[in-house]
């Protein structure tokens, strides 16, 4: 997949990473609107859409999909205050605005579905809609009210800006492989909404049958699948006023894309890159790493099951495994903490077919290794073990969608169109060098953008 024309998609992968680390891995970015659906959506008078539904702000519960990291929490609070200020200017009763990270006592709250019973019990009597948005979603309250008034709140509605897969993808378990474009799921960046009758219906289902999966790969797709319920539930209704770009004056939402302004970016010398590899990939994968992003790294080592001086690689003494790589990952963590310079603040662990992956602060590694949490086997899934360990230590994972677990072709064009991506994963059926220079390599427009941002003061 090539980036959308005219968007200047060549990006500085490492400079973008440096900016993120300055904010302890900040923010979320996504997607774009489809003009052709405007007329279609506005003409949906059938099926319960009404232009005269009596919806006011007290009937909307806003849920900001926030994170506990201080940068993210601040951004979410700023959005909350913007919503309340707009409501006050309209001289309407103030709506309820919830921050998701403050509801974390509910296990799995970030995955939304476990919270629906709470929303049903607490808000179903006096509310019509639950409206979800991200920290950087910008909401025009008058336009949002006008948009929601077109939909009869006594009916079941699942509203959002529609994304779809352009080809079947592993991150969605190859769902709808015969025609991936038929299934629509919401772009969280544009905001999405559930009517209270649908929340109540989903709550009954959640109470009668537990969720089947105990892990989440792509939340927006999995929520849409659950609501669709193999065709027995509600499909997503595409709402053209839920936007990411301000493509027309009727947009009720847009998305604010930017690299966080938290001071000067972290210096390259403060980041240590550890590349995980094995002997059988020394010849084909390591040259690609060196041909692409490795040149921008100040400190980098290659860790393998075989020492090869021409690269060079470090033999960690851990046999290669075909499944998880927990043993190798923990060996890297221990080597970083005990053998690298004490002043190196950050460790980035990268697979040899990744164009950057997991990021750890030195203090997080120190606390992890001081605990008794370890791999139960060398081939255990390192990401899941690390997640469980850090959770037990009370160290939350800060999510950034700029780290991608698959190839550009595995994501909708709209989803990538507003991102400044940091990484992609897997070389299967693509030219990884071309992917790097198309999506991640330094470009003149990025340098100009960075200069412009130096004096930029953002306002909500």
């Amino acid at each position: 997949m090539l980036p959308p024309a005219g968007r200047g998609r060549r990006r500085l992968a490492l400079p973008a990473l440096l900016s993120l680390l300055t904010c302890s891995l900040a923010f979320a970015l996504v997607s774009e609107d489809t003009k052709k659906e405007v007329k279609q959506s506005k003409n949906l008078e059938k099926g319960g859409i009404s232009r005269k539904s009596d919806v006011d702000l007290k009937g909307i519960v806003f849920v900001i999909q926030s994170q506990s990291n201080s940068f993210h929490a601040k951004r979410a609070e700023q959005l909350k205050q913007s919503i309340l200020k707009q409501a006050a200017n309209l001289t309407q009763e103030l709506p309820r605005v919830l921050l998701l990270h403050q509801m974390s006592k509910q296990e799995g709250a970030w995955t939304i579905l476990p919270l629906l019973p709470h929303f049903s019990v607490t808000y179903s009597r006096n509310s019509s809609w639950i409206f979800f948005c991200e920290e950087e979603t910008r909401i025009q309250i008058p336009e949002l009210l006008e948009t929601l008034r077109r939909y009869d709140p006594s009916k079941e509605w699942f509203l959002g800006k529609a994304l779809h897969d352009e080809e079947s993808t592993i991150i969605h378990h190859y769902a709808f492989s015969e025609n991936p474009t038929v299934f629509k799921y919401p772009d969280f960046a544009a905001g999405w909404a559930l009517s209270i009758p649908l929340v109540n219906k989903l709550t009954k289902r959640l109470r009668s049958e537990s969720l089947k999966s105990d892990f989440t790969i792509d939340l927006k797709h999995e929520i849409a699948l659950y609501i669709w319920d193999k065709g027995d539930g509600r499909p997503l209704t595409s709402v053209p006023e839920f936007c990411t770009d301000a493509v027309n004056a009727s947009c009720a939402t847009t998305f604010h894309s930017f690299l966080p302004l938290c001071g000067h970016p972290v210096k390259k010398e403060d980041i240590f890159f550890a590349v995980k590899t094995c002997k059988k990939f020394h010849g084909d994968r390591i040259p690609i790493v060196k041909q692409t992003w490795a040149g921008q790294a100040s400190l980098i080592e290659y860790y393998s099951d075989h020492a090869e001086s021409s690269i060079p690689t470090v033999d960690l003494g851990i046999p290669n495994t075909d499944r998880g790589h927990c043993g190798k990952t923990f060996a890297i963590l221990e080597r970083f903490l005990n053998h690298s310079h004490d002043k190196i603040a950050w460790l980035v662990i990268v697979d040899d077919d990744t164009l950057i992956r997991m990021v750890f602060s030195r203090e997080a590694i120190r606390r992890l290794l001081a605990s008794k949490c370890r791999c139960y086997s060398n081939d255990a899934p390192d990401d899941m073990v690390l997640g469980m360990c850090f959770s037990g230590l009370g160290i939350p994972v800060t999510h950034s969608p700029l780290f991608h677990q698959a190839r550009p072709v595995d994501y909708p064009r709209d989803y990538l169109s507003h991102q400044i991506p940091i990484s992609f994963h897997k070389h299967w059926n693509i030219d990884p060098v071309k992917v790097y220079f198309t999506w991640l390599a330094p470009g003149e427009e990025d340098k100009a953008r960075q200069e412009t941002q130096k004096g930029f003061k953002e306002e909500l």
Side-chain angles (χ1 to χ4, degrees):
M1 180 199 300
L2 290 178
R7 294 256 177 215
R9 294 286 22 139
R10 293 182 64 194
R11 298 295 186 186
L12 284 79
L14 288 187
L17 174 62
L18 302 182
S19 294
L20 282 184
L21 294 185
T22 308
C23 301
S24 300
L25 296 181
F27 83 145
L29 312 162
V30 270
S31 212
E32 182 178 323
D33 189 48
T34 354
K35 289 184 178 179
K36 64 182 180 181
E37 298 185 15
V38 174
K39 185 176 180 180
Q40 176 185 6
S41 178
K42 289 187 175 180
N43 288 336
L44 288 177
E45 295 290 345
K46 299 178 181 179
I49 293 184
S50 168
R51 296 184 183 276
K52 298 182 180 180
S53 296
D54 186 19
V55 175
D56 55 23
L57 278 176
K58 68 179 181 181
I60 305 174
V61 178
F62 292 86
V63 180
I64 302 174
Q65 294 171 245
S66 57
Q67 300 187 69
S68 59
N69 170 279
S70 59
F71 174 81
H72 290 277
K74 180 179 179 181
R75 297 297 299 170
E77 183 60 35
Q78 289 173 328
L79 176 55
K80 176 180 178 178
Q81 294 307 316
S82 171
I83 293 170
L84 295 176
K85 182 178 180 180
Q86 289 186 67
N89 289 341
L90 293 173
T91 65
Q92 288 206 18
E93 185 176 333
L94 297 183
R96 284 148 294 195
V97 183
L98 311 177
L99 304 187
L100 194 60
H101 76 274
Q102 295 177 348
M103 309 178 74
S104 58
K105 291 182 180 179
Q106 174 74 45
E107 185 176 358
W110 71 274
T111 61
I112 306 295
L113 292 176
L115 288 176
L116 295 187
H118 168 73
F119 293 151
S120 177
V121 169
T122 308
Y123 303 114
S124 61
R125 183 168 297 181
N126 299 314
S127 302
S128 300
W129 297 95
I130 309 291
F131 182 83
F132 301 88
C133 61
E134 294 190 344
E135 298 158 6
E136 303 302 333
T137 306
R138 294 295 167 259
I139 305 171
Q140 301 299 322
I141 294 297
E143 286 77 9
L144 179 62
L145 286 171
E146 285 301 311
T147 299
L148 292 180
R149 284 169 182 157
R150 293 210 316 272
Y151 301 88
D152 184 349
S154 68
K155 298 183 181 297
E156 296 171 6
W157 289 108
F158 175 27
L159 308 179
K161 178 191 169 186
L163 298 174
H164 64 79
D165 294 337
E166 294 172 32
E167 60 180 64
S168 61
T169 171
I170 189 172
I171 62 174
H172 297 154
H173 305 289
Y174 300 106
F176 307 95
S177 56
E178 293 185 0
N179 184 5
T181 65
V182 299
F183 185 73
K184 305 299 192 295
Y185 52 98
D187 179 353
F188 283 176
W192 55 289
L194 301 177
S195 64
I196 288 297
L198 181 55
V199 171
N200 293 339
K201 178 182 179 179
L202 296 172
T203 294
K204 290 179 181 178
R205 182 179 167 199
L206 287 164
R207 286 172 174 165
S208 63
E209 58 181 52
S210 58
L211 293 170
K212 296 179 180 179
S213 177
D214 58 356
F215 66 93
T216 296
I217 296 177
D218 184 1
L219 181 60
K220 56 189 178 296
H221 190 270
E222 291 165 34
I223 282 180
L225 274 178
Y226 186 84
I227 295 174
W228 179 66
D229 192 17
K230 298 179 181 179
D232 293 331
R234 286 292 304 181
L236 179 72
T237 296
S238 182
V239 178
E241 290 82 7
F242 290 180
C243 311
T244 46
D245 271 349
V247 292
N248 59 65
S250 65
C251 283
T253 63
T254 54
F255 191 68
H256 188 53
S257 300
F258 71 104
L259 282 174
L261 304 172
C262 306
H264 297 293
V266 173
K267 296 179 180 178
K268 291 182 181 181
E269 294 75 17
D270 291 332
I271 307 177
F272 189 93
F273 289 86
V275 181
K276 292 192 302 183
T277 188
C278 62
K279 183 179 180 180
K280 66 179 179 180
F281 294 134
H282 286 185
D284 57 350
R285 292 186 179 179
I286 297 304
I288 292 172
V289 173
K290 292 189 173 185
Q291 190 178 349
T292 54
W293 62 268
Q296 296 185 61
S298 177
L299 303 167
I300 185 170
E301 282 189 345
Y302 300 86
Y303 298 104
S304 180
D305 56 348
H306 174 75
E308 187 169 327
S309 59
S310 62
I311 295 176
T313 60
V314 176
D315 184 356
L316 292 170
I318 305 293
N320 187 55
T321 53
D322 292 329
R323 298 188 298 171
H325 304 288
C326 196
K328 184 181 291 185
T329 296
F330 268 77
I332 291 171
L333 296 175
E334 290 174 357
R335 181 179 175 88
F336 172 78
L337 193 65
N338 298 320
H339 298 286
S340 68
H341 198 286
D342 288 345
K343 292 185 178 180
I344 301 176
W346 295 94
L347 170 65
V348 178
I349 296 182
V350 191
D351 283 349
D352 54 11
D353 62 346
T354 299
L355 290 171
I356 303 180
R357 193 183 166 194
M358 295 180 287
V359 181
F360 306 90
S361 68
R362 175 174 288 274
E363 177 60 17
I365 297 172
R366 187 196 66 76
R367 289 183 58 186
L368 171 66
L369 297 183
S371 74
K372 296 181 179 180
C373 194
R374 292 294 186 274
C375 308
Y376 52 83
S377 66
N378 280 341
D379 66 349
D382 49 354
D383 49 1
M384 292 187 178
V385 171
L386 287 167
M388 290 186 291
C389 290
F390 282 122
S391 177
L393 291 169
I395 301 175
V397 175
T398 300
H399 171 68
S400 171
L402 307 186
F403 294 82
H404 299 92
Q405 60 181 318
R407 309 160 302 165
V409 295
D410 292 308
Y411 300 92
R413 291 176 184 268
D414 279 356
Y415 179 75
L416 295 178
S417 65
H418 288 273
Q419 290 196 350
I420 304 171
I422 287 176
S423 70
F424 292 103
H425 188 209
K426 297 297 184 186
H427 295 172
W428 181 67
N429 270 4
I430 62 169
D431 179 348
V433 176
K434 183 177 180 181
V435 167
Y436 174 76
F437 284 101
T438 300
W439 292 91
L440 303 170
E444 291 302 318
E445 69 277 7
D446 297 284
K447 297 175 184 177
R449 173 180 48 78
Q450 286 187 326
E451 290 298 318
T452 300
Q453 283 188 337
K454 284 183 180 179
F456 176 67
K457 293 182 178 179
E458 51 167 319
E459 297 180 359
L460 286 174

